[in-house]
Structure formats: C-alpha cells, structure tokens
Amino acid sequence: MTSKEYGSISVAVDFALFTIEMDRLQVLLVRRDEEPFKECLSLPGVALKEKEALSEAAYRCLKEETGLVDRVYMEQLYTWGEDCNRDPRNRVISVSYFALVDKNKLHTGEGTRVSEIAFWDVDEILEKEMELAFDHREIIKYARERIREKTEKNQLAFQLLGEEFTLPELQRIYEILLGKALYKANFRKNVKDLVEDTGKMRKEGAHRPSKLYRMSNKTLGSD
C-alpha cells in the first residue's frame, strides 16, 4: 500500500483542564485566533509532532495555548475519530487528556494562536449547548462523566485542594464533582481512612475553629 492510499491523516491532542471556582466546576477554554473556527471557543489543542510522545504534546498544548508551564497531574481521556469530518481541513484523530487543578496553583499567561483564555462554567456549556469549535463540547461532556465516575472510585477530589483542608471543604469538592449533595455522617465515614488530622485548627470569622486535615499516606500511595 502506498502513502497516497493512506490519505492525509493528522493526529492532534486536546486538553480539558478543570478547576473549581465559586462552587462551580469550570473548564479552561481559548478563543481561536486562526481558521478553522476563528473567533470560536475551543479546548486548547495542538498537532502531534512526528517524534513527540502524546503526553509531551499534552503539556506543550497547555504551554503554547494558555501559557501554563506547571506540570499538572493528567489522564488520557479518549480518542476521537469516528467522525471523519470533525476537522474541515483534513482527517484528524484527536487524543484528549483531562486534569483537575486547584485554581490557586494555576499560573496562566498569554498563549499563541488564541485571543482569549478563560474558565467557563461546565454546566452552562452543557445545559445551554454552547457552540464550540470542532467536537469539543462532546469532549467536555465525556470528561464530565469521567470525573463523576473517578470521584466515586478514587481520590480525584484531592487534586483540587491545598496541602491542608477542613472536612467541610473536602465534602464540598466531592459534591461539586459528583453533582449531588452528600450526607455529612456518611461522607466522613467514607473518607476517614483517606485523611489524617494535622493537629492544627483554622479560625474563620465568628465560627468555631475547624480541624485541619491532610491526605493520609495511604491516599498518597493509591491510584
């Protein structure tokens, strides 16, 4: 089979970077400054270089399009390519990644090929069926469901907390990621082996001081 018979096929990497702000799950979007879909919102994305690992392309994607240089914990999400016309230029297979990051740990700057970088409310994107470039709304929808599943099964919520936190803060993160309210007693029973008391207290306003916790060694060593 000759190279012409393979046709023109490219591989891209798209990144869905999530955080929580104002008690809402948000995703980072950029406004494209080039065709196709110029001026449209999209996830950050780059074309894979010939001798580049997918994970390296994912980090390069964040750096080039958002100015983010921090290494974040990320996971491969899904490969998109069933729709042969998902990119009007040519056949493009996209490998998507996602990550959850504490907003206070993010340091975004100016990216290339984009005119705007901002976080957008995930529920608003999905419920109002916001129009995004390519099939990026579907990627966000898929990532949202993955986040729910992984929050139920492991310690994904800890990615959005500082080194020390209160149990109400941890519970609220879980509730936002799961999209539902949790009973206080049941929640604390479920996470008791995942956290450890620091012996410190935090005083906030007129409220009683709250105990500060951190991830336990067991949690740090888990998947």
Side-chain angles (χ1 to χ4, degrees):
M1 182 176 288
T2 66
S3 59
K4 290 184 178 180
E5 291 177 281
Y6 281 108
S8 176
I9 300 178
S10 302
V11 178
V13 170
D14 293 311
F15 208 117
L17 183 67
F18 294 90
T19 194
I20 289 178
E21 188 174 25
M22 297 171 55
D23 271 0
R24 304 289 292 180
L25 183 64
Q26 300 189 1
V27 64
L28 187 69
L29 297 179
V30 298
R31 193 171 299 279
R32 292 175 58 81
D33 200 27
E34 63 181 15
E35 298 291 354
F37 300 105
K38 186 174 182 179
E39 300 301 327
C40 286
L41 291 170
S42 75
L43 294 170
V46 295
L48 182 69
K49 295 180 180 179
E50 184 176 354
K51 296 183 179 181
E52 183 178 39
L54 287 168
S55 59
E56 288 303 315
Y59 282 122
R60 178 169 62 85
C61 168
L62 289 182
K63 183 177 180 181
E64 288 186 3
E65 294 223 338
T66 72
L68 181 67
V69 296
D70 305 83
R71 288 269 171 163
V72 298
Y73 172 78
M74 66 180 183
E75 293 187 27
Q76 194 173 120
L77 179 65
Y78 192 72
T79 299
W80 305 82
E82 289 296 319
D83 182 1
C84 298
N85 300 311
R86 60 183 302 275
D87 191 312
R89 293 168 293 188
N90 64 300
R91 179 77 187 274
V92 176
I93 308 297
S94 174
V95 180
S96 57
Y97 283 78
F98 81 103
L100 284 86
V101 184
D102 181 352
K103 184 70 179 291
N104 295 322
K105 297 178 182 177
L106 289 175
H107 303 284
T108 56
E110 293 186 2
T112 60
R113 304 187 304 276
V114 300
S115 59
E116 179 186 349
I117 304 167
F119 280 94
W120 291 72
D121 187 287
V122 171
D123 289 337
E124 182 177 336
I125 292 171
L126 299 180
E127 292 172 5
K128 295 185 178 181
E129 298 189 355
M130 282 178 55
E131 184 176 351
L132 302 180
F134 308 104
D135 50 5
H136 288 186
R137 195 172 70 84
E138 291 303 310
I139 294 177
I140 294 171
K141 181 179 179 181
Y142 190 90
R144 180 69 184 93
E145 291 305 312
R146 176 70 66 84
I147 287 171
R148 285 194 179 98
E149 293 171 3
K150 294 186 74 66
T151 301
E152 291 274 14
K153 297 176 181 178
N154 62 26
Q155 293 79 49
L156 191 65
F158 289 92
Q159 300 293 332
L160 292 161
L161 288 164
E163 184 176 343
E164 297 178 346
F165 49 84
T166 66
L167 290 183
E169 288 173 340
L170 179 60
Q171 179 173 338
R172 186 58 188 141
I173 295 294
Y174 267 86
E175 290 175 333
I176 293 170
L177 296 183
L178 292 172
K180 63 181 180 182
L182 300 173
Y183 291 105
K184 177 180 176 180
N186 290 344
F187 172 76
R188 297 196 173 193
K189 179 181 178 180
N190 291 335
V191 302
K192 65 182 178 63
D193 293 330
L194 304 179
V195 299
E196 57 186 28
D197 192 339
T198 66
K200 301 177 185 178
M201 304 289 286
R202 179 191 293 164
K203 175 69 174 176
E204 294 182 348
H207 300 287
R208 291 192 307 171
S210 300
K211 286 186 177 182
L212 286 173
Y213 293 81
R214 58 174 168 251
M215 294 171 64
S216 69
N217 291 331
K218 178 180 178 180
T219 305
L220 290 169
S222 62
D223 293 333

